[in-house]
Amino acid sequence: MLKIPVVREHPDLDLPAHAKPGDAGVDLRSSIDITLAAGGGRALVPTGLSIAIPDGFAGFVQPRSGLALKHGVTVLNSPGLIDSGYRGELQVLLVNTDPQSDFEVRRGERVAQLVIQAYQSVEFVEVDELADSDRGLGGFGSTGST
């Protein structure tokens, strides 16, 4: 199991944890109360956490499906990328897509998920042409109409 060092500004708020065994994401909680206005209101919501992701890994902040389904609240820049060198406070850019109802974020509420993933560093090498593939130049919609 990968161990991630964490600094917690608010000892009364839970550390990120997997809700169930086998879950890929851990819950991130708001460290403040804030209102997201209906029709696109957005806010950068602090978590009160700073972490040290090891080299070769990155964090990806993603929406919570329940907030999206029930309230239209999602992560605006999903997935939000946290590079291994970042040491500042984790914050979540939330947006309320519900056209009519404001959404009240409460301190301690689970507002997003964080997934830590290994990645491979790459180097781009310029070539004159690319090798053929079964898909070829087929892009958007090329694998079927629905």
CSV table of all heavy atoms in Angstrom, one decimal, residues 131-137:
chain,number,residue,atom,x,y,z
A,131,ALA,N,3.1,4.8,-37.6
A,131,ALA,CA,2.7,3.4,-38.1
A,131,ALA,C,1.2,3.3,-38.2
A,131,ALA,O,0.5,4.0,-37.5
A,131,ALA,CB,3.3,2.4,-37.0
A,132,ASP,N,0.8,2.5,-39.1
A,132,ASP,CA,-0.7,2.2,-39.3
A,132,ASP,C,-1.2,1.5,-38.1
A,132,ASP,O,-0.5,0.9,-37.3
A,132,ASP,CB,-0.9,1.4,-40.6
A,132,ASP,CG,-0.6,2.1,-41.9
A,132,ASP,OD1,-0.8,3.4,-41.9
A,132,ASP,OD2,-0.3,1.5,-42.9
A,133,SER,N,-2.6,1.7,-37.9
A,133,SER,CA,-3.3,1.0,-36.9
A,133,SER,C,-4.7,0.6,-37.5
A,133,SER,O,-5.1,1.1,-38.5
A,133,SER,CB,-3.5,1.9,-35.6
A,133,SER,OG,-4.4,2.9,-35.9
A,134,ASP,N,-5.4,-0.3,-36.8
A,134,ASP,CA,-6.7,-0.6,-37.2
A,134,ASP,C,-7.7,0.6,-37.2
A,134,ASP,O,-8.5,0.7,-38.1
A,134,ASP,CB,-7.3,-1.7,-36.3
A,134,ASP,CG,-6.7,-3.1,-36.4
A,134,ASP,OD1,-6.0,-3.3,-37.5
A,134,ASP,OD2,-6.8,-3.9,-35.5
A,135,ARG,N,-7.5,1.5,-36.3
A,135,ARG,CA,-8.4,2.6,-36.3
A,135,ARG,C,-8.0,3.7,-37.3
A,135,ARG,O,-8.9,4.4,-37.8
A,135,ARG,CB,-8.4,3.2,-34.9
A,135,ARG,CG,-9.4,4.4,-34.7
A,135,ARG,CD,-9.5,4.8,-33.3
A,135,ARG,NE,-10.6,5.7,-33.2
A,135,ARG,CZ,-11.3,5.9,-32.1
A,135,ARG,NH1,-11.0,5.2,-31.0
A,135,ARG,NH2,-12.3,6.8,-32.0
A,136,GLY,N,-6.8,3.9,-37.5
A,136,GLY,CA,-6.3,4.9,-38.5
A,136,GLY,C,-6.7,6.3,-38.1
A,136,GLY,O,-6.4,6.7,-36.9
A,137,LEU,N,-7.3,7.0,-39.0
A,137,LEU,CA,-7.6,8.4,-38.7
A,137,LEU,C,-9.0,8.6,-38.1
A,137,LEU,O,-9.4,9.7,-37.9
A,137,LEU,CB,-7.5,9.2,-40.0
A,137,LEU,CG,-6.1,9.3,-40.7
A,137,LEU,CD1,-6.2,10.0,-42.0
A,137,LEU,CD2,-5.1,9.9,-39.7
